[in-house]
Amino acid sequence: SYELTQAPSVSVSPGQTARITCSGEPLPNRNAHWYQQKSGQAPVLVIYEDSKRPSGIPERFSGSRSGTMATLTISGAQVEDEGDYYCYSIDSSIYHRGVFGGGTKLTVL
Amino acid sequence: EVQLVESGGGLVQPGGSLRLSCAASRFTFNTYAMGWVRQAPGKGLEWVSTISATGDSTYYADSVKGRFTISRDKSKSTLFLQMNSLRAEDTAVYYCAKGHDSSAYYYFPDSWGQGTQVTVSS
């Protein structure tokens, strides 16, 4: 079975572009989805099916996928964007299962 | 706005059982796949289980297969997770999560409840 790998942390200054990556073998064949989780709160979907943005999510959030890597980009990151970000996909290599990446802690300061 | 309210969590001894419930409202429950995701203290998210809109397809994480059972009651718009033979490593916040469409195979959560705490300890 495959895993999704994320860097543990990313730090940017306000207004800079933050890029959070997710790599794994399922990704060439499966969509990636991204979740934001702020401290003590439930996760929120910020990007689905690689690059689609749910209603209510700011335009500064965007996503892409190429080969074995998916990328979440926050253009002009704001202090309120701080939190943990998780990628998610489906792995059907051996048996069908959902897979989350390990999470990336974004610091904006 | 989608509303998902979990209940049924608590403290249980190793080997014990719990049944989690998730009351769904403000969307057509019968047309969406549903699932459970958990988060151990200080850890990341872990997918647990998914059920299709019709209830005829279910999937489980290897770590809970044979011990947990997901089900749904369309008349009550409620999702369940029956957890048996609980272990210390099952200690986590359990989130109920609505799928984006009816399929369990392509399930991904698009709305989440606030979670219910499950603690397995003697």
Side-chain angles (χ1 to χ4, degrees):
Chain A
S1 58
Y2 298 125
E3 306 298 330
L4 296 177
T5 301
Q6 298 182 240
S9 63
V10 167
S11 182
V12 298
S13 299
Q16 288 188 328
T17 296
R19 292 183 179 84
I20 299 171
T21 61
C22 172
S23 63
E25 292 299 326
L27 293 179
N29 302 309
R30 298 292 184 207
N31 290 332
H33 316 281
W34 291 93
Y35 299 88
Q36 175 196 67
Q37 186 179 35
K38 297 184 179 181
S39 182
Q41 298 182 19
V44 172
L45 179 68
V46 294
I47 292 291
Y48 68 99
E49 294 175 355
D50 301 328
S51 59
K52 298 176 181 177
R53 196 173 52 250
S55 61
I57 300 301
E59 291 184 5
R60 63 180 179 270
F61 288 85
S62 63
S64 63
R65 178 172 62 95
S66 178
T68 60
M69 183 169 288
T71 302
L72 172 69
T73 301
I74 308 173
S75 303
Q78 306 296 309
V79 172
E80 59 262 33
D81 298 332
E82 281 199 344
D84 296 320
Y85 289 81
Y86 297 90
C87 61
Y88 171 88
S89 190
I90 298 293
D91 173 22
S92 300
S93 57
I94 300 177
Y95 51 84
H96 187 81
R97 64 186 185 116
V99 185
F100 282 97
T104 297
K105 183 174 183 60
L106 175 65
T107 301
V108 183
L109 53 73
Chain B
E1 183 180 343
V2 168
Q3 188 165 26
L4 301 167
V5 180
E6 301 95 336
S7 61
L11 174 64
V12 62
Q13 291 188 339
S17 298
L18 277 177
R19 188 192 197 202
L20 305 184
S21 299
C22 171
S25 60
R26 301 179 185 173
F27 68 100
T28 308
F29 181 73
N30 299 337
T31 61
Y32 291 94
M34 298 291 296
W36 293 94
V37 176
R38 68 184 181 183
Q39 187 169 34
K43 302 297 185 182
L45 301 173
E46 180 187 11
W47 170 81
V48 174
S49 182
T50 302
I51 186 168
S52 63
T54 59
D56 57 359
S57 293
T58 58
Y59 299 100
Y60 297 92
D62 200 38
S63 57
V64 308
K65 202 173 294 183
R67 300 187 298 124
F68 290 12
T69 302
I70 191 171
S71 62
R72 61 193 298 160
D73 184 334
K74 66 179 182 179
S75 68
K76 297 180 180 178
S77 295
T78 301
L79 177 72
F80 301 100
L81 186 68
Q82 177 66 43
M83 304 187 297
N84 299 329
S85 303
L86 283 162
R87 307 166 179 166
E89 54 265 35
D90 295 318
T91 295
V93 173
Y94 284 73
Y95 293 102
C96 165
K98 170 185 166 291
H100 193 62
D101 58 26
S102 63
S103 169
Y105 193 85
Y106 295 108
Y107 168 86
F108 66 91
D110 71 2
S111 300
W112 301 64
Q114 286 304 305
T116 186
Q117 176 70 48
V118 171
T119 302
V120 184
S121 175
S122 55

